[in-house]
Amino acid sequence: MKKKQPMDELRKRLSEVYYLSSILNLLNWDQEVNMPHRGSGPRSISIAHLSGIVHNKFVALDKGGVLTNLKRQLDAKKLKGKDAVIVYETWRSFDRERKLPEKFVREMAEITSKAQNKWAEAREKNDFSLFLPWLKKIVSLKRKEAELVGYTDSPYDALLDAYEPDMTSKEVSRILDDLKDFLVPFLKRIKESKIKIDDRKLSGHFPIEKQVEFNEMIARKMGFDLESGRLDKSTHPFTSGFHPNDVRITTRYSEKDIFYSIGSTIHESGHALYDQGLPEEHFGTPLAESVSLGIHESQSRLWENNVGKDKPFWKYFYPKLQKEFPKPFKSIPTEAFYKAINAVKPSLIRTQADEVTYNLHIIIRFEIEKEMIEGSIDLAKLPEIWCFKMKKYLGIDVPTDKEGVLQDVHWSAGLIGYFPTYSLGNLYAAQLYATMNKQIPRLSNKIAGGHMEEVKNWLRKNVHIHGKTYSAQELIRKITGEYLNSRYFNEYLEKKYGEIYKLEKLTRKSR
Amino acid sequence: MKKKQPMDELRKRLSEVYYLSSILNLLNWDQEVNMPHRGSGPRSISIAHLSGIVHNKFVALDKGGVLTNLKRQLDAKKLKGKDAVIVYETWRSFDRERKLPEKFVREMAEITSKAQNKWAEAREKNDFSLFLPWLKKIVSLKRKEAELVGYTDSPYDALLDAYEPDMTSKEVSRILDDLKDFLVPFLKRIKESKIKIDDRKLSGHFPIEKQVEFNEMIARKMGFDLESGRLDKSTHPFTSGFHPNDVRITTRYSEKDIFYSIGSTIHESGHALYDQGLPEEHFGTPLAESVSLGIHESQSRLWENNVGKDKPFWKYFYPKLQKEFPKPFKSIPTEAFYKAINAVKPSLIRTQADEVTYNLHIIIRFEIEKEMIEGSIDLAKLPEIWCFKMKKYLGIDVPTDKEGVLQDVHWSAGLIGYFPTYSLGNLYAAQLYATMNKQIPRLSNKIAGGHMEEVKNWLRKNVHIHGKTYSAQELIRKITGEYLNSRYFNEYLEKKYGEIYKLEKLTRKSR
């Protein structure tokens, strides 16, 4: 019985930290979705205060040596099962958090909250110089964070680890270089194909209210539970899970382009299904936390691309789309529709990129932010560097910083080391989806028949309910029998786009 | 210079308390406006944790004796101006807060958050017995609170003081008894009048979206700044001010009755103008806090009734209403419209009551809750007692508990001692409005011309900007030259409803 007591005490303390953190998430959600314009000043101060408190509570997990003693028991292999997971994962976060002084945490929270507004202004005015001083502050804070946390190889590793535990920049470089080696020539082949796809036929006039209904219908059909969640509008679509019973997604709407909302809704619903599928009974411990951002992204991308841009999904939804929006869809046959939503064309904006070019956007960001943190780049030159790389990898010119280096919120929010998880997510998704297709007989038919719960249930059983029980690498190996590799993703692209663009088969180089 | 340091330290500590409290307000606002159904369980836990933290921070204001020393300086008359106000008011709240153990505060927060859901269920099912055990818990907690805080006369005083500082139940009883003595016979005279007003002519079919626009137009015209606020829907209209730059109101809509929303919007906008008008530069101190709930209610009621149910206001807005909703308003002349919106009829629901009967609803609640706290009532008998009093004061039968004792959220939220502030608000409003009319020449003409800013600016200058600089009694005396009394309210009703119902003049009994 005595052995149980410190565990209970740790659970109690942890629970408070998780509930308070979920308040921070609500503050951020509200800031994006509801907050009136002039509320931003006071909001950053509230966020800074609460961030300081959460940090202090986190560090105080070890008050009386409770956590240290449990860690010793863990190392001596005296803890098993769920307790072992809780102590292992809590120690990992604690060990990072305790190295950061409270003052640093508050400063980071306040600066990044303010910098997001400055970034929005700079983007609106297409003026990088407005953002530059804030970016300098943030990069300097993040470099300091890396020093405080510590690292062996690159300071970038210390940041990456917060989003994708155990991943290193060396490993990411290897994976992304492989990907680049595949993608750049693959994109060239597509560009040279005689098949040209015109996706302008998909545009039209779509009243927002009807779009909202259609998006909600898709989200529900995927299994998103609106008794435990919401769907709202915001400038940048995102998912915020406060608790498995309160998970909120946002999407964005364009009157001319219904896929502007649908793509985001499917993507965010994928994230939301993960958050709603975490085991409620373990909320307040790492057992009800997602594995990593890469695994989280695999859930959204699997739904958005592997499922949501494939024929079976639209076999089910296309007749509904045609019924709700006869103009223009009544006159577009299913096959032409399928090709149009999968048109590959290098473009300026990451969030609107197709599956083939998307990872090239990520590679550019990763290469730049790694150098930012390693201090080997002049921040004032970012716009030029951006243009250079866009030309080199995607072959296009960047007309404005608004559509270039200023397009993403991440850096202004202090999220450096975050971008690579998007590409990892794509790779995880492809590997998971290949396995899912092996394990569920006639999955395509089931999806085409509207049985989306097949996908949801498989992901729930294999990924969601485990929380942080396994590391990303362990989990992917447990499910697919292999560690993460880019083979599945490359094969997937080759097969799908080989068909669409009638590409000649090449002898594939294995990595 | 040395004297300034403890003041700076106190301001710093206080600021954190205010910013964290405004997060609690956001949690509550979100709970009413956005939270998905199943989010309520985790939400009550988050609220309990943060309430505990705010309480601890409040008590820690005195760490190192900072506040005690400043209080000594205040008592020795060594503090002046704003510093004196801050220390006086902070000491008052601190002295209350420190008597409550953290465990008690958390328990209260969690129980009341849960009880609100139970109450909603009981009301929906029209089953008082579902709510009774929760009411018992809450009354027992509130009685404990009164014991912890301490009181001289009645335990009710200890609760009342949290909402209306310095007010006692004895004084409230005196004021409300006076009011009852006036209202019961006055209502009888109106009922016996030959003038019968049919307000059913105001009903129709009003699409919600158009109502939203109309309500927003009124709120804007009153001066509500939507750059620093929002207008949303919720079951029970309310105002939540997180900071003068972020003040949110809600209203409710009925397709059949546009005044269901308009009345609430004007009322809540009145509250919101107060919150937006508090001096931003002093946020984080009592200088940017409202005086009392009674004074707060005076702001909403002055707009809702004294201004918003009077002829000049509708001289400006009625043509707009007729234009937007020609059916039924095109065929109703202004004079008939004015009478219809002021029809007096005893009714079941407080929030829909007219100006004459409204305070009788409050008197019933006050009499009951005072006995609840004094322990002289059997809680299981509340439904019967409710019916008895409704019959006695208003002359009507209560068909269901849903429309009776279960109609208000307050008790489930632990808000006992709150109701009398509604009546105090009506009296303050009448007294303020009489003075405003003396001080602003031709105010009626100005309102009729759409110059609502005359009202707003007068309230801003006389009430809003002072925050808690003066007590309610000092403030009302400073502005009107008299302490609070019911004469202005009674005169206002006699004049207005005497005209509408063509009542014969009586010799007025002065109190």
Side-chain angles (χ1 to χ4, degrees):
Chain A
M1 289 302 281
K2 265 208 167 164
K3 217 184 82 195
K4 223 24 194 164
Q5 279 170 21
M7 245 350 266
D8 288 345
E9 180 60 27
L10 179 64
R11 276 175 187 269
K12 198 183 134 204
R13 292 179 188 179
L14 257 184
S15 178
E16 185 175 13
V17 170
Y18 279 86
Y19 277 102
L20 292 174
S21 301
S22 86
I23 298 177
L24 275 178
N25 290 342
L26 175 65
L27 289 172
N28 286 311
W29 176 85
D30 180 83
Q31 178 165 343
E32 296 299 317
V33 179
N34 288 318
M35 195 183 68
H37 178 65
R38 298 192 59 228
S40 68
R43 178 58 51 88
S44 24
I45 302 177
S46 288
I47 288 177
H49 282 304
L50 190 56
S51 299
I53 289 168
V54 170
H55 168 79
N56 288 344
K57 295 263 176 197
F58 211 112
V59 173
L61 286 176
D62 195 34
K63 218 173 107 185
V66 167
L67 184 56
T68 307
N69 288 335
L70 285 167
K71 176 64 169 36
R72 276 198 204 110
Q73 288 185 35
L74 179 76
D75 292 342
K77 308 214 184 291
K78 282 181 190 158
L79 287 182
K80 281 187 190 131
K82 296 192 175 10
D83 288 352
V85 174
I86 292 173
V87 173
Y88 180 83
E89 288 295 336
T90 302
W91 180 266
R92 181 213 292 278
S93 318
F94 166 78
D95 194 38
R96 179 185 185 91
E97 199 74 25
R98 66 171 165 172
K99 292 171 187 160
L100 307 174
E102 184 195 346
K103 203 179 151 228
F104 176 83
V105 171
R106 283 179 181 248
E107 193 183 352
M108 181 75 90
E110 196 173 337
I111 295 282
T112 52
S113 176
K114 283 183 186 158
Q116 285 173 67
N117 292 314
K118 292 293 167 185
W119 160 78
E121 192 192 331
R123 193 176 70 148
E124 176 141 352
K125 295 185 178 159
N126 188 35
D127 184 351
F128 180 73
S129 72
L130 290 177
F131 179 50
L132 182 59
W134 289 87
L135 182 62
K136 283 183 178 167
K137 271 185 220 185
I138 287 170
V139 169
S140 142
L141 281 169
K142 296 303 283 188
R143 294 184 64 180
K144 191 172 166 196
E145 181 178 330
E147 294 308 321
L148 289 164
V149 170
Y151 56 87
T152 320
D153 205 358
S154 159
Y156 189 83
D157 291 353
L159 305 183
L160 178 64
D161 194 69
Y163 308 117
E164 197 68 20
D166 302 330
M167 187 57 77
T168 62
S169 53
K170 208 170 150 189
E171 178 70 2
V172 169
S173 293
R174 195 184 58 70
I175 293 171
L176 294 187
D177 283 347
D178 268 12
L179 209 51
K180 190 163 67 176
D181 290 347
F182 167 77
L183 288 175
V184 174
F186 187 64
L187 179 60
K188 196 157 168 276
R189 285 164 65 208
I190 290 177
K191 279 188 186 169
E192 288 163 4
S193 159
K194 279 175 200 148
I195 307 289
K196 302 291 170 205
I197 299 171
D198 181 11
D199 59 354
R200 282 171 303 179
K201 66 177 77 142
L202 300 179
S203 58
H205 177 79
F206 309 100
I208 305 294
E209 260 191 75
K210 282 194 76 178
Q211 287 195 50
V212 171
E213 274 175 37
F214 200 82
N215 275 280
E216 212 172 283
M217 185 269 293
I218 292 180
R220 272 184 208 278
K221 190 72 195 166
M222 286 170 62
F224 180 55
D225 173 8
L226 280 150
E227 285 278 288
S228 298
R230 293 177 57 87
L231 170 59
D232 293 277
K233 290 177 213 178
S234 70
T235 319
H236 308 280
F238 69 106
T239 299
S240 207
F242 311 143
H243 181 280
N245 292 356
D246 192 349
V247 177
R248 306 184 183 184
I249 63 177
T250 69
T251 190
R252 57 186 176 184
Y253 296 92
S254 153
E255 289 215 317
K256 287 185 204 153
D257 176 7
I258 191 170
F259 290 93
Y260 193 68
S261 61
I262 290 179
S264 298
T265 299
I266 300 175
H267 180 98
E268 302 305 334
S269 295
H271 279 305
L273 289 174
Y274 191 1
D275 286 345
Q276 288 189 338
L278 291 165
E280 189 189 328
E281 65 277 23
H282 294 302
F283 184 80
T285 77
L287 295 168
E289 223 183 333
S290 63
V291 178
S292 71
L293 286 188
I295 297 293
H296 223 308
E297 189 72 6
S298 76
Q299 303 302 293
S300 55
R301 297 294 273 181
L302 188 147
W303 278 104
E304 180 189 0
N305 291 333
N306 304 80
V307 175
K309 284 191 181 152
D310 203 3
K311 286 177 187 169
F313 186 86
W314 287 104
K315 188 157 182 191
Y316 179 76
F317 282 111
Y318 196 52
K320 296 179 182 6
L321 188 73
Q322 288 179 311
K323 196 180 156 214
E324 289 304 317
F325 304 96
K327 227 173 133 187
F329 300 116
K330 267 281 181 240
S331 64
I332 307 174
T334 312
E335 185 66 22
F337 169 79
Y338 167 73
K339 283 183 181 158
I341 63 170
N342 284 294
V344 174
K345 52 171 185 193
S347 62
L348 293 164
I349 306 296
R350 173 183 64 84
T351 57
Q352 287 157 254
D354 57 79
E355 288 179 279
V356 176
T357 57
Y358 185 89
N359 292 297
L360 293 171
H361 290 268
I362 298 303
I363 289 165
I364 291 172
R365 286 155 180 77
F366 167 68
E367 290 176 353
I368 291 175
E369 67 178 18
K370 188 164 175 284
E371 288 202 66
M372 287 200 306
I373 292 304
E374 290 175 350
S376 53
I377 206 169
D378 177 359
L379 294 176
K381 295 223 173 97
L382 283 199
E384 293 162 47
I385 297 168
W386 190 277
C387 294
F388 174 79
K389 285 183 187 275
M390 283 295 286
K391 187 77 183 176
K392 188 169 165 201
Y393 302 156
L394 285 150
I396 55 173
D397 296 308
V398 179
T400 64
D401 290 341
K402 196 170 168 170
E403 297 155 285
V405 69
L406 284 175
Q407 72 183 264
D408 288 311
V409 70
H410 300 64
W411 293 337
S412 74
L415 302 173
I416 302 180
Y418 188 116
F419 279 121
T421 68
Y422 288 131
S423 284
L424 297 175
N426 289 329
L427 305 189
Y428 285 131
Q431 196 162 331
L432 288 171
Y433 199 58
T435 304
M436 191 190 299
N437 271 288
K438 281 175 211 151
Q439 294 182 357
I440 305 178
R442 303 184 357 276
L443 178 58
S444 290
N445 290 350
K446 287 171 180 164
I447 292 174
H451 291 289
M452 310 296 156
E453 70 277 12
E454 294 279 338
V455 178
K456 186 190 98 169
N457 292 341
W458 190 90
L459 291 171
R460 192 140 287 183
K461 186 181 71 180
N462 285 287
V463 180
H464 307 173
I465 57 155
H466 299 302
K468 264 188 155 59
T469 301
Y470 309 103
S471 74
Q473 292 313 307
E474 283 165 7
L475 183 73
I476 212 75
R477 173 120 194 265
K478 181 178 175 294
I479 301 171
T480 70
E482 290 177 60
Y483 287 116
L484 178 66
N485 63 74
S486 57
R487 187 163 65 86
Y488 293 96
F489 182 70
N490 296 354
E491 279 178 8
Y492 163 76
L493 288 191
E494 277 197 6
K495 182 164 186 298
K496 178 170 178 178
Y497 293 93
E499 276 172 27
I500 292 175
Y501 284 93
K502 299 199 191 321
L503 305 181
E504 282 175 39
K505 288 242 158 73
L506 292 187
T507 321
R508 190 165 32 73
K509 281 189 293 182
S510 106
R511 62 162 228 223
Chain B
M1 288 305 279
K2 263 205 168 165
K3 219 184 80 192
K4 222 28 196 165
Q5 281 170 21
M7 244 352 265
D8 287 345
E9 181 60 26
L10 178 65
R11 276 175 186 269
K12 196 182 138 203
R13 292 179 188 178
L14 257 183
S15 178
E16 184 173 15
V17 169
Y18 278 86
Y19 277 102
L20 293 174
S21 300
S22 86
I23 298 177
L24 275 177
N25 290 342
L26 176 65
L27 290 171
N28 285 312
W29 176 86
D30 181 82
Q31 178 164 342
E32 296 300 317
V33 179
N34 288 318
M35 194 183 70
H37 179 65
R38 298 191 63 228
S40 69
R43 178 58 51 88
S44 22
I45 302 176
S46 288
I47 288 177
H49 282 304
L50 190 56
S51 300
I53 288 168
V54 170
H55 168 79
N56 288 344
K57 295 265 176 194
F58 211 112
V59 173
L61 287 176
D62 196 33
K63 217 172 109 186
V66 167
L67 184 56
T68 307
N69 288 335
L70 285 167
K71 177 66 168 38
R72 277 198 205 111
Q73 288 185 35
L74 179 75
D75 292 342
K77 308 214 183 289
K78 283 183 189 156
L79 287 182
K80 283 191 190 128
K82 296 191 175 11
D83 287 353
V85 174
I86 293 172
V87 172
Y88 180 84
E89 289 295 336
T90 304
W91 180 265
R92 181 213 294 276
S93 319
F94 167 78
D95 193 39
R96 180 184 184 94
E97 199 74 25
R98 66 171 165 171
K99 293 170 184 161
L100 308 173
E102 183 193 346
K103 202 176 153 233
F104 176 83
V105 172
R106 283 177 181 252
E107 195 184 351
M108 181 74 90
E110 197 172 339
I111 295 283
T112 52
S113 175
K114 283 182 184 158
Q116 286 174 65
N117 292 313
K118 291 293 167 187
W119 160 78
E121 193 192 332
R123 194 176 70 147
E124 175 141 352
K125 294 182 178 160
N126 189 33
D127 184 350
F128 180 73
S129 72
L130 290 177
F131 179 50
L132 182 59
W134 290 86
L135 182 62
K136 283 183 177 167
K137 272 184 219 185
I138 286 170
V139 169
S140 141
L141 281 170
K142 296 303 284 188
R143 293 184 65 179
K144 193 172 165 196
E145 181 179 330
E147 293 307 321
L148 289 164
V149 170
Y151 56 88
T152 320
D153 204 358
S154 160
Y156 189 83
D157 292 352
L159 305 183
L160 179 63
D161 193 69
Y163 307 117
E164 197 67 20
D166 302 330
M167 187 57 78
T168 63
S169 53
K170 209 170 148 191
E171 177 71 3
V172 169
S173 294
R174 196 183 58 72
I175 293 171
L176 294 186
D177 283 347
D178 268 11
L179 209 49
K180 192 165 64 175
D181 290 346
F182 167 77
L183 289 174
V184 174
F186 187 66
L187 179 60
K188 198 160 165 274
R189 284 164 65 205
I190 291 176
K191 279 186 184 169
E192 286 163 7
S193 159
K194 279 171 198 153
I195 308 289
K196 303 291 170 201
I197 298 171
D198 181 11
D199 61 351
R200 283 172 304 179
K201 66 178 74 146
L202 300 179
S203 58
H205 179 77
F206 309 101
I208 305 294
E209 258 190 77
K210 282 194 76 178
Q211 286 194 51
V212 171
E213 273 175 37
F214 200 82
N215 275 279
E216 212 173 283
M217 185 270 292
I218 292 180
R220 270 184 209 279
K221 190 72 195 168
M222 286 170 61
F224 181 55
D225 174 9
L226 280 151
E227 285 278 289
S228 298
R230 293 178 56 87
L231 170 60
D232 292 277
K233 289 178 215 181
S234 71
T235 319
H236 308 280
F238 70 106
T239 299
S240 208
F242 311 144
H243 181 280
N245 292 356
D246 193 348
V247 177
R248 306 183 183 185
I249 62 177
T250 69
T251 191
R252 56 188 178 183
Y253 296 92
S254 153
E255 288 215 319
K256 285 184 205 150
D257 176 6
I258 190 169
F259 289 93
Y260 193 67
S261 61
I262 290 179
S264 298
T265 299
I266 300 176
H267 180 97
E268 302 306 335
S269 296
H271 279 306
L273 289 176
Y274 192 1
D275 286 347
Q276 289 190 337
L278 291 165
E280 189 188 329
E281 66 276 23
H282 295 302
F283 184 80
T285 77
L287 295 168
E289 225 184 332
S290 62
V291 178
S292 72
L293 286 188
I295 296 292
H296 224 308
E297 189 72 5
S298 76
Q299 302 303 294
S300 55
R301 297 295 272 182
L302 187 149
W303 278 104
E304 181 189 1
N305 292 331
N306 305 79
V307 175
K309 283 189 182 153
D310 203 1
K311 287 176 186 170
F313 186 85
W314 287 104
K315 189 157 180 189
Y316 179 76
F317 282 112
Y318 195 51
K320 297 180 179 12
L321 188 73
Q322 288 180 312
K323 196 181 157 211
E324 289 304 317
F325 304 97
K327 229 172 130 191
F329 299 115
K330 267 279 181 245
S331 63
I332 306 174
T334 311
E335 186 65 22
F337 169 80
Y338 166 73
K339 284 182 181 159
I341 63 170
N342 283 295
V344 173
K345 52 173 186 192
S347 62
L348 292 163
I349 306 296
R350 174 184 62 85
T351 57
Q352 288 158 252
D354 57 77
E355 288 179 279
V356 175
T357 57
Y358 186 88
N359 291 297
L360 294 169
H361 289 268
I362 298 304
I363 289 166
I364 291 172
R365 286 155 179 78
F366 167 68
E367 290 176 354
I368 291 175
E369 67 179 18
K370 186 163 175 283
E371 287 202 65
M372 290 201 305
I373 293 304
E374 290 175 350
S376 54
I377 206 169
D378 178 359
L379 294 175
K381 296 225 172 97
L382 283 197
E384 293 162 47
I385 297 168
W386 189 277
C387 294
F388 174 78
K389 286 182 187 273
M390 283 295 286
K391 187 75 184 175
K392 189 170 162 202
Y393 302 156
L394 285 150
I396 56 173
D397 295 309
V398 179
T400 66
D401 290 341
K402 197 172 167 169
E403 298 155 286
V405 69
L406 284 174
Q407 71 183 265
D408 289 311
V409 69
H410 301 64
W411 292 338
S412 75
L415 302 173
I416 302 180
Y418 188 115
F419 278 121
T421 67
Y422 289 131
S423 284
L424 295 175
N426 290 328
L427 305 190
Y428 285 131
Q431 195 163 330
L432 287 171
Y433 199 57
T435 304
M436 191 191 298
N437 270 288
K438 280 175 212 153
Q439 294 182 357
I440 305 179
R442 303 184 357 275
L443 178 59
S444 291
N445 291 350
K446 287 170 179 165
I447 293 174
H451 291 289
M452 310 296 156
E453 71 276 11
E454 295 279 338
V455 178
K456 186 189 100 170
N457 292 341
W458 190 90
L459 292 170
R460 192 138 288 181
K461 185 182 71 181
N462 284 286
V463 179
H464 307 172
I465 57 156
H466 298 302
K468 263 187 157 59
T469 301
Y470 309 102
S471 74
Q473 293 312 307
E474 282 166 7
L475 183 72
I476 211 74
R477 173 120 194 266
K478 180 177 176 295
I479 300 171
T480 71
E482 288 175 61
Y483 286 117
L484 178 66
N485 65 74
S486 58
R487 188 163 64 87
Y488 293 97
F489 183 70
N490 297 356
E491 279 177 8
Y492 162 75
L493 288 191
E494 277 197 8
K495 180 163 187 298
K496 178 170 177 178
Y497 293 93
E499 277 173 25
I500 294 176
Y501 284 94
K502 299 201 197 311
L503 305 182
E504 282 175 36
K505 289 242 156 75
L506 292 187
T507 319
R508 189 167 32 74
K509 282 190 292 182
S510 105
R511 58 165 227 221

